[in-house]
Amino acid sequence: MNHLDPVRHVRGESSYLDDIPVQQGTLYAAVFEAAVAHGRLRGLDLAAARAAPGVVRILTAHDVPGENQIGGIVPDEPVLAEGTVHFRGQPIALVLAHTERQAQAALHLIKADIEPLPIITDPRVAAAHNELIVPPRTFRLGDSRTAWADCTHVFEGVAESGGQEHLYIETQGAYAFPTEMGGVRIVSSTQGPTAVQRHTAHVLGIGMHQVEVDVTRLGGGFGGKEDQATPWGVLAALGAFLTRRPVKLVLDRMADMRMTGKRHPYSSDFRIGLDTDLKIVAYEVTFYQNAGAAADLSPAVLERTLFHCTNSYFIPNVTATAYSCRTNLPPNTAFRGFGGPQGMFVIESAIAKAAEELGVPASEIQRRNLLRENDLLPYRQPAEMCHAEQAWDTAADLYNLPRLREEVAEFNQQNERLKKGLSVMPICFGISFTKTPMNQSRALVHIYTDGTVGVSTGAVEMGQGVNTKIAQVAAQTLGISIDRVKVESTNTTRVANTSPSAASATADLNGKATEMACQALRERLLRHASTEYTLNYEGLEIRDEQVLAAGVPAETTWEKLVSSAYWRRVSLTENAHYATPDIHFDATIEQGYPFAYHVYGTALTVVTVDCLRGTYELDAVHIAHDFGQSMNPAVDRGQIEGGAVQGIGWMTMEELIYNEEGRLLSNSLNSYKIPDLYAAPKVLDVHFLDTPGHPRAIFRSKAVGEPPLMYGIGAYFAIRDAVRAFRSGHQPTFSAPFTPEKVLLNLYPPVSARSAAAWPSVSTSIPATTSAAS
Ligand code: MTE
Ligand code: HPA
Ligand code: MOS
């Protein structure tokens, strides 16, 4: 069973937002954005732009009929700036013109009078000014303060991780159509159709029933369209509502990079204590999250950083505090892992620090502290059906960790200029929205009279293969061929009040609802079969489109059964509601059972660093991953490979640079580098661990969307290992991404400190290049 879409994708037959045939009378929208990161908006001169060719109307905050507010968690974000601007790229006005070019041209004729205010870009500076999005939060287990006395070794440090641009292939956009009775219909490239619907209704001052949002698929989301698709949907709808004409708004690549938020950069302080057996006794960590200018999803991301601050380890005494710091950057947002990776990078840094100081391999400390069955996580949920040790040991055996270690050591002994490095990266990731009420879903299933099936859910297909999985659930539950099943677009009028497709939980939530609806339909049809054909209901089943009575083919097939049920006026439609059982969390005490289950895995990473250039290659990433009972190994393997490479990009080469004025300097694909084929590991093995899966996972097939991203953290530590093989005793600051530039600067002492003796000996002959990457 393969992913159902790729053949159509490769042929160019799949329909994205920009493929919708343009309706006559459509206006094109372009966004006028703030060119300073913080200031008082004193005036806006629109006269010249209004008179420009093709311009039909220019909208500002004054034109908003409802409330000018789109903040999801905290109401701190106007859709069009009013009074002050908080970040460079913040939308101030919307130009509507007959062509895209005319709309873009008019932008240059708008003049904004903005009185500059002080700009903060650093989260620690923001915290010092008490510029916090929400009050800080602290997770506690045991008592870290008294535990220091039990530690033989205590180490402290600072760890920094950078942001990450989502770089979905399809940029943000929406196409809005006025509907009769003053409503709007919006086609949006969003992970959260209901969020677009709710905020549009609010901004337009109409009911949600007047706003329909439809999503066929996204050209990638990666979290960047969980909340941040909303402004563009709302703006297009505002234009359509006020002009009564269709309005299309699509950001070009550079506008998208400038204007939208990204993964949160974090700056963190850690303190780790170990006993003589290298057991971690205590861990204290303080996270400073760079939230950007508005809350967006930052408080939820912050929370997940705390949930994952001990990664895959049991630590009896933990104090973890997190600050969400307001800066004058575009509001940062969800990105695959949702704050988890940032938390996990810090504990891995703390372990590396301890290992380097003690002169033991980090893996010694890591392995001894892995979670075991029923160990408590810092939020008091026990690790149940825990596969942390199994994942580690399987990876170590299967890929022969001792042999890899020897090979690296041998290579390093024989080579002066090239050094290899090795790391082991275990992961543990919780599946569920951390906000318990969001873990609900619905499915609407129609069986048509010819026996074909239409399924609608709240799931948004963004490349992750959720539509394929939902089709599998329907086909398997009904006992019919997958060719009979169509997964429909995601539409707020068919399935309402949906959570965004996020948290890796889309297939679980929407798959379970689909399964329930299909079970109800199957049961109803079999009851009908039992009366219609006088068969004993017990022992009736449908398999391969044939009705079986106690295993023997009955006189009816799926098609005949459906048709006869219709003529007997049996309903062929079902709507089901699913809410993840057993989960809860009490934020007043920061304790509970927030996750349906956890996903485990381990990656071994081997790199080669060119110590003359600072460039590097990933020789291999070997992964043992806990899929449970994978319902679609092809799709799931793709998620692991893609997630791992995306994580490698975050940790090694994707470097977002804002200057002190809050201007994005890495604003195009010239200056922001994502992994290409050469940057990907030469070998990427994915082993499916033999684990039972979890009953709260759809068909016991565990969620796979986000967990693999964190394997990429291993690349940082493997490079670090290689750097230290070249420059023995050196401890680079924990700062990701480990770009070739940073690697080079860490391979040699600074010029001022250099003496002949401090120089590692390196052959002066020009070496042969090792790869395309160099
Ligand atoms: N895979 C592809 N191809 N495209 C995407 O946008 N998003 C990731 C992950 N894998 C993404 C992806 C993120 S951030 C999440 S939360 C999950 O997919 C969402 O889908 P799921 O819940 O069905 O796993
Ligand atoms: N994960 C991903 N997205 C979310 C979450 C979460 O836990 N909570 C709200 N949006
Ligand atoms: Mo994914 S960051 O939860 O959209």
Side-chain angles (χ1 to χ4, degrees), residues 390-403 424 602 604 624:
Q390 180 189 352
W392 179 291
D393 293 341
T394 304
D397 289 351
L398 191 65
Y399 304 117
N400 204 341
L401 180 59
R403 180 79 209 118
V424 188
T602 296
L604 313 183

Side-chain angles (χ1 to χ4, degrees), residues 34 101 124 136 146 150 186-187 318 339 378 401 462 509 623 684:
R101 211 174 257 229
R124 291 191 191 244
T146 55
D150 304 328
I186 310 164
V187 179
V318 178
L401 180 59
M462 52 188 129
L509 293 172
I623 295 169
L684 210 177

Side-chain angles (χ1 to χ4, degrees), residues 73 226-227 297 300-301 303-304 307 334 337-338 429-430 432-435 438 500-504 595 706:
I73 299 178
E226 181 175 338
D227 245 31
L297 289 163
V301 171
E303 184 176 58
R304 196 176 269 275
F307 282 118
F338 206 74
F429 197 78
S432 285
F433 288 96
T434 56
K435 195 163 188 58
M438 292 177 77
S501 287
S504 307
F595 297 119
E706 293 168 287

Side-chain angles (χ1 to χ4, degrees), residues 178-190:
T179 53
E180 58 179 22
M181 292 159 44
V184 281
R185 177 171 185 276
I186 310 164
V187 179
S188 165
S189 180
T190 181

Side-chain angles (χ1 to χ4, degrees), residues 97-125:
H98 291 298
T99 69
E100 207 169 344
R101 211 174 257 229
Q102 288 169 334
Q104 290 289 339
L107 294 180
H108 302 289
L109 303 174
I110 299 178
K111 287 190 195 68
D113 176 11
I114 301 176
E115 177 194 336
L117 292 168
I119 293 165
I120 296 177
T121 58
D122 183 313
R124 291 191 191 244
V125 173

Side-chain angles (χ1 to χ4, degrees), residues 371-391:
L371 285 164
R372 296 196 185 142
E373 195 64 22
N374 289 323
D375 277 345
L376 284 190
L377 289 149
Y379 42 96
R380 311 297 161 104
Q381 180 166 347
E384 294 164 331
M385 305 179 74
C386 175
H387 305 299
E389 293 190 320
Q390 180 189 352

